[in-house]
Amino acid sequence: MTPVIELQQLEKYYGSTHILKGIDLSVSAGQVIGYIGPNGAGKSTTIKILIGLIPDFLGQASVLGMDVRKDALEIKRRIGYVPELASLYDSLTPLEYLQFIGKLHKLDPAMVERRTMDLLRLFNLEGNASDRMTTFSKGMRQKVLLISGLFHNPDVVFLDEPLSGLDANAVVLVKEIIRQLADSGKTIFYSSHIMDVVERISDRIVIINQGQIIANGSFEELKELRTSGSLEQLFTQLTGNDEQASIAGAFVQTINQ
Amino acid sequence: MQGLLLMILSWMRPLFRRLGADPDQVEAIVALKITLDNRRTYTAFGQQQHKQKDRSNSFWLMLLLYAFMGSFGCVVLIGVYNQAPIYALSFSFAIPMLLIGMALISDFSSVLLDSSDNAIILPCPVNGRTLLIARITHICLYLLLMSMAASIASAVVIAIRFGIGYSLLYTVFMLLSALLIIFLTSLLYLLLMRFTSEEKLREAIMYVQIIVAIFFYAGYQVLPRMISATDNLIQLSVQWWHYLLPPVWFGGAMEAFLTPVFDPLHLSLLALAVLTPFVGLWVTVSYLTPLYNQRIASIDVDARPQHSGTIQPETASRSDQLAQWFTGSPLEAAGFALTWRIMLRDRQFKLRAYPSIGYMIVLFFMFVWRTGGSLDDGDIGTSFASVLPLYFCTLLLGNAISLLRYSDQHKAAWVFVSTPLEEPGQVMLGAVKAAIIQLLLPVQVVVSAYVLYVGGIKSLDDVLLTTFVNISIAFLYAIGNGYFLPFSSPVGEMTKGANVARTLVIMMMVAVLGAMHWGLSKLPYGVWAGIPVMAGIAYVLLLRIRNADREKFTVS
């Protein structure tokens, strides 16, 4: 079976900064991939390359067997993307916004309207369907973004910090949606800072640091690398920041002076 | 209206397809952009102040405003054409060109610099060409409508005077001039982007926006008066350097047809008018756009904070130094330094406050212009007129002081609640002092210098008295609108109604004080006697703010 996502020696420079230093990764269908790393490690850059937003990179990248450089349009048709830092046209209403995205995907407007209303209802937003999003809270915007990334039934979904701003119930709901999407054969590429969520929903965890993969495997496999108990502890050990306890000590001491 | 635009778009579908774009997607994107345009606030209205509930026609309203502003050009056209046709025609081109250029820079910058297009639209199956065509179509529609609105009055005048054919020709030249403006603006943008960071660019755009607001205001003030003065004004001969100004090319080209005269001069102007827009367009498409897109793409990256190495304490210590000089307690100094810095750095505050400062400057020059040199001669009544500009400072300050309580980041004011703040009055006093020193003082100094220059040293008493009057009025504005902590109320609460009444009362007090000032000026040493009284009043008001009860302060 051909892998759904395949990266070979992926490198990327921004000016003179070397953001990605050779990423090799292969993901098969129906998996939830937790893609984690400290700020500036290159997580968002990897995702942007995979969805065809950044065409100038070195190495090979393919999604659903198609080359990202050559078939970006066909790939975009079959993937969904939920960006971090909710950027959306907030002077539109959710209905207007989703209809616009639907048109760009060339979906049937009647179907889009029906599906949008159903999804908004499931997210408890049907009362706000015709309100402009300027007044929306971060969680409400995030829900609209989730719908816009999923409502065209993509085969691969890229989620960049998808739980930000959501309340506890919505987090449970979205986690369950991710699980069931994966069970139905879709591939989820999930990037986040919230370790215990990643630990729980990922079939495979990929940790990158300074543009390189430093760990790749199921949580059980990763645990064998170190003796620590949780992904969070493992993460801080692997990304070279195990002095957190001593820094915390110095912090408290400074306050007490 | 929107339906009409979409109809025009549907005629262009074959063209889009030919250019390699997807017509459905182009239509969807342009329709979206028009909707967004209609829900945006425009600098030209000076309306940032209060977010109205839901605007949905602001673009059409703005077009009306442009038609109105453009009509000044046609008044000059009517009034001056007989004496100096090229001047009149050039002027009628210059106004719409200026309007479009400034609109492109100020209002449209948010569209041009909008990287959310990249974030939202590009992840969808839209190819880059479609997005580019949609953007260009949108910009062209926008400019087409604006240049039409701004030139419609002049076009009608030409139609009546010379016939509909010439009016159409005029419109064609107008569109050419709009093309030229696009070229010039994108050139300007690229230069700015080349040499400054994105943050600086936004800063530069903010100043352009402020200048636009002041320009509009000055336009309202100056143009009607200029027209009444045009009868004897027009002895203008065309100087050689006038031919360097793009509006003159179009004016000359139009004159060539209207007169008609086709000498080498007019032919070369005509050539410039016809050729430069297309050369500009060609350069824009083939050289500037790729460069431009490259820069836009890198904006997201640039926006990442970079460690600038050393932290610079110089500027910080300057505000602290000033706070030390002008305040009496650490708490007051804290309010002073906070307000001083935010006033200097918060782009939204500047956008709200600076235009009104500009208005005052315009008013001041209007006053000086209209009274001319007749101030220093004659009886005591007219010499008192020279003092009046000093009272303008009050107008300026009232607005700025009432802005001190509002901020887009009013939520940050929780610090005033979470800290054991016993004397919030001191924080408020510090804030008011910062505004007085940063905003009032420079204007007061300049105006005082002018008054001393016109009136001589004997005006010193007037200057001193008005200084204390203005300070007192500043305190009154601060108290009159309710005690406040700096930047603690949401901008949305900036309701006009309640403040207008209070402002009127304060203005009347200004008038009363002015009248008393005039009365005192009739008495020997009367003004000198008034100075300590006024200083005393200012001090009492200062104490009232400083010692105000905690309960009178609210933080929303």
Side-chain angles (χ1 to χ4, degrees):
Chain A
M1 203 170 82
T2 52
V4 175
I5 297 171
E6 183 146 45
L7 295 175
Q8 282 169 6
Q9 278 306 306
L10 185 68
E11 285 190 64
K12 170 70 191 166
Y13 289 87
Y14 276 128
S16 58
T17 348
H18 205 174
I19 294 279
L20 296 177
K21 300 169 185 163
I23 301 268
D24 289 292
L25 186 64
S26 162
V27 178
S28 44
Q31 276 192 327
V32 178
I33 299 297
Y35 196 60
I36 58 180
N39 283 332
K43 297 188 300 287
S44 293
T45 306
T46 315
I47 293 188
K48 280 181 181 164
I49 288 174
L50 283 170
I51 64 173
L53 281 190
I54 303 176
D56 55 326
F57 56 88
L58 303 171
Q60 290 299 317
S62 69
V63 175
L64 293 160
M66 291 175 284
D67 189 327
V68 169
R69 286 198 192 89
K70 289 191 207 117
D71 300 310
L73 222 54
E74 187 53 36
I75 292 174
K76 286 176 188 180
R77 219 161 268 149
R78 292 177 55 191
I79 61 169
Y81 172 52
V82 179
E84 86 186 309
L85 296 180
S87 61
L88 37 66
Y89 299 111
D90 59 8
S91 55
L92 298 182
T93 69
L95 221 50
E96 288 170 332
Y97 180 75
L98 293 167
Q99 251 155 6
F100 170 68
I101 300 292
K103 272 186 204 159
L104 295 185
H105 277 287
K106 307 205 162 240
L107 303 177
D108 170 38
M111 186 275 279
V112 169
E113 180 159 354
R114 204 170 350 99
R115 200 173 276 183
T116 308
M117 281 314 286
D118 289 345
L119 293 171
L120 285 172
R121 185 171 323 113
L122 291 170
F123 269 150
N124 263 329
L125 279 180
E126 79 267 44
N128 306 92
S130 305
D131 296 341
R132 292 191 190 171
M133 292 188 280
T134 30
T135 56
F136 278 23
S137 70
K138 216 171 160 233
M140 291 159 85
R141 286 164 194 242
Q142 194 60 35
K143 287 176 180 176
V144 175
L145 281 174
L146 275 166
I147 295 176
S148 84
L150 292 170
F151 75 149
H152 56 287
N153 192 22
D155 296 325
V156 188
V157 185
F158 294 91
L159 301 167
D160 204 343
E161 207 63 75
L163 302 179
S164 60
L166 297 180
D167 64 27
N169 285 328
V171 167
V172 174
L173 174 64
V174 172
K175 274 184 346 197
E176 192 53 35
I177 290 174
I178 291 172
R179 190 65 261 163
Q180 294 192 14
L181 281 173
D183 290 346
S184 71
K186 300 189 188 305
T187 310
I188 316 284
F189 198 89
Y190 181 104
S191 164
S192 176
H193 287 298
I194 309 169
M195 295 301 151
D196 42 348
V197 178
V198 177
E199 180 184 323
R200 226 158 296 149
I201 65 170
S202 306
D203 300 309
R204 193 136 69 91
I205 296 169
V206 178
I207 303 181
I208 67 166
N209 191 25
Q210 296 178 348
Q212 281 170 320
I213 293 181
I214 54 171
N216 179 358
S218 70
F219 182 50
E220 276 64 37
E221 287 164 8
L222 292 190
K223 267 206 290 205
E224 283 165 20
L225 290 174
R226 298 286 158 109
T227 47
S228 46
S230 74
L231 179 61
E232 192 170 76
Q233 286 162 331
L234 187 77
F235 179 82
T236 51
Q237 279 175 7
L238 288 177
T239 54
N241 258 329
D242 45 3
E243 310 122 28
Q244 306 298 11
S246 62
I247 294 176
F251 189 97
V252 172
Q253 209 174 2
T254 311
I255 297 171
N256 283 335
Q257 269 170 9
Chain B
M1 256 328 233
Q2 192 150 348
L4 183 74
L5 287 182
L6 292 181
M7 207 168 80
I8 297 175
L9 279 185
S10 67
W11 294 336
M12 292 168 69
R13 293 177 69 103
L15 179 69
F16 294 147
R17 198 166 288 129
R18 235 200 146 94
L19 289 169
D22 182 313
D24 292 327
Q25 290 177 338
V26 170
E27 232 169 77
I29 295 170
V30 176
L32 167 93
K33 296 271 174 190
I34 296 171
T35 312
L36 293 178
D37 279 341
N38 268 325
R39 293 178 186 182
R40 231 148 32 88
T41 42
Y42 287 89
T43 334
F45 293 128
Q47 265 182 348
Q48 271 90 6
Q49 322 254 18
H50 30 110
K51 281 182 191 138
Q52 286 168 10
K53 302 138 260 168
D54 277 351
R55 43 184 85 248
S56 36
N57 289 308
S58 54
F59 184 58
W60 309 127
L61 284 173
M62 196 199 58
L63 286 183
L64 269 180
L65 184 71
Y66 276 73
F68 177 68
M69 288 301 290
S71 66
F72 289 123
C74 94
V75 177
V76 174
L77 197 60
I78 296 168
V80 188
Y81 186 80
N82 289 334
Q83 292 99 314
I86 190 170
Y87 173 81
L89 285 166
S90 305
F91 197 80
S92 80
F93 277 107
I95 287 191
M97 282 171 87
L98 261 179
L99 288 176
I100 294 166
M102 291 196 302
L104 259 182
I105 294 171
S106 64
D107 287 323
F108 221 44
S109 62
S110 54
V111 180
L112 289 173
L113 286 177
D114 197 355
S115 54
S116 63
D117 271 2
N118 292 350
I120 298 169
I121 295 177
L122 280 184
C124 297
V126 175
N127 72 28
R129 199 158 184 86
T130 303
L131 182 57
L132 181 71
I133 301 275
R135 275 186 145 172
I136 292 176
T137 311
H138 172 229
I139 293 173
C140 288
L141 268 180
Y142 179 94
L143 283 172
L144 182 79
L145 288 171
M146 275 203 348
S147 51
M148 287 300 169
S151 65
I152 188 137
S154 302
V156 168
V157 168
I158 288 183
I160 292 169
R161 201 160 156 172
F162 300 98
I164 196 90
Y166 287 109
S167 176
L168 286 177
L169 187 67
Y170 182 82
T171 313
V172 169
F173 279 122
M174 197 63 238
L175 294 179
L176 285 176
S177 72
L179 268 184
L180 187 61
I181 288 289
I182 300 184
F183 168 63
L184 293 175
T185 332
S186 42
L187 208 59
L188 178 75
Y189 258 106
L190 270 168
L191 281 177
L192 283 172
M193 286 164 112
R194 185 92 195 75
F195 295 113
T196 62
S197 66
E198 194 216 358
E199 192 58 17
K200 288 257 180 59
L201 181 61
R202 292 193 192 277
E203 194 86 350
I205 289 164
M206 180 203 75
Y207 284 109
V208 173
Q209 286 175 328
I210 290 169
I211 292 167
V212 170
I214 296 170
F215 176 85
F216 271 83
Y217 182 77
Y220 293 129
Q221 290 290 324
V222 177
L223 279 172
R225 293 186 175 85
M226 238 171 87
I227 287 146
S228 65
T230 41
D231 292 341
N232 44 19
L233 189 93
I234 300 308
Q235 295 305 324
L236 288 158
S237 57
V238 181
Q239 308 276 329
W240 67 268
W241 56 267
H242 287 169
Y243 295 119
L244 297 180
L245 302 173
V248 178
W249 307 343
F250 294 97
M254 201 59 211
E255 190 190 38
F257 286 102
L258 289 178
T259 313
V261 47
F262 290 99
D263 53 6
L265 172 71
H266 282 87
L267 280 177
S268 44
L269 288 178
L270 179 62
L272 278 175
V274 175
L275 292 181
T276 48
F278 289 109
V279 173
L281 188 68
W282 178 72
V283 174
T284 312
V285 171
S286 46
Y287 294 105
L288 299 188
T289 321
L291 254 177
Y292 182 76
N293 284 341
Q294 219 175 316
R295 287 294 302 167
I296 290 276
S298 63
I299 265 184
D300 291 332
V301 187
D302 288 349
R304 287 196 190 146
Q306 288 176 346
H307 293 288
S308 54
T310 49
I311 310 150
Q312 291 173 326
E314 288 93 331
T315 46
S317 67
R318 195 178 52 201
S319 2
D320 287 330
Q321 189 67 59
L322 283 166
Q324 287 235 303
W325 288 344
F326 291 105
T327 59
S329 74
L331 205 51
E332 206 184 316
F336 184 99
L338 173 81
T339 311
W340 184 271
R341 289 180 182 132
I342 291 185
M343 284 194 302
L344 281 181
R345 293 177 197 171
D346 182 12
R347 220 176 283 141
Q348 293 306 316
F349 179 84
K350 290 187 194 172
L351 261 182
R352 282 190 284 268
Y354 285 14
S356 61
I357 297 173
Y359 299 162
M360 286 310 119
I361 294 167
V362 171
L363 264 183
F364 175 67
F365 278 111
M366 290 300 299
F367 177 85
V368 173
W369 181 35
R370 286 173 73 195
T371 49
S374 66
L375 287 179
D376 46 358
D377 53 18
D379 61 329
I380 195 153
T382 39
S383 104
F384 183 72
S386 71
V387 177
L388 282 179
L390 287 168
Y391 282 91
F392 283 143
C393 307
T394 315
L395 294 167
L396 167 133
L397 205 68
N399 182 40
I401 295 256
S402 55
L403 288 175
L404 281 184
R405 77 176 61 214
Y406 301 109
S407 170
D408 294 313
Q409 282 125 27
H410 66 276
K411 283 186 180 144
W414 61 267
V415 292
F416 294 122
V417 186
S418 72
T419 47
L421 185 62
E422 255 180 84
E423 291 129 337
Q426 295 196 5
V427 176
M428 174 179 169
L429 182 61
V432 175
K433 277 183 178 174
I436 290 176
I437 287 158
Q438 192 176 106
L439 301 174
L440 172 73
L441 196 67
V443 183
Q444 179 86 21
V445 165
V446 170
V447 177
S448 300
Y450 165 77
V451 169
L452 286 174
Y453 167 75
V454 172
I457 195 70
K458 66 178 187 321
S459 301
L460 185 65
D461 53 349
D462 296 321
V463 168
L464 287 175
L465 184 67
T466 50
T467 305
F468 287 114
V469 168
N470 285 337
I471 291 174
S472 308
I473 296 296
F475 288 144
L476 270 181
Y477 264 112
I479 300 172
N481 287 337
Y483 291 94
F484 66 89
L485 285 161
F487 309 112
S488 62
S489 302
V491 176
E493 264 179 29
M494 228 183 268
T495 47
K496 287 232 151 152
N499 289 356
V500 165
R502 290 199 197 95
T503 308
L504 275 178
V505 170
I506 294 175
M507 295 301 265
M508 266 156 66
M509 290 168 82
V510 175
V512 170
L513 287 170
M516 281 162 63
H517 184 165
W518 179 74
L520 287 172
S521 71
K522 298 276 194 198
L523 306 170
Y525 299 104
V527 178
W528 285 110
I531 291 171
V533 178
M534 213 55 233
I537 292 176
Y539 188 65
V540 170
L541 289 169
L542 181 149
L543 287 182
R544 281 206 56 175
I545 295 179
R546 197 174 71 189
N547 302 331
D549 250 0
R550 272 185 71 192
E551 281 74 48
K552 289 185 181 154
F553 290 87
T554 49
V555 170
S556 47

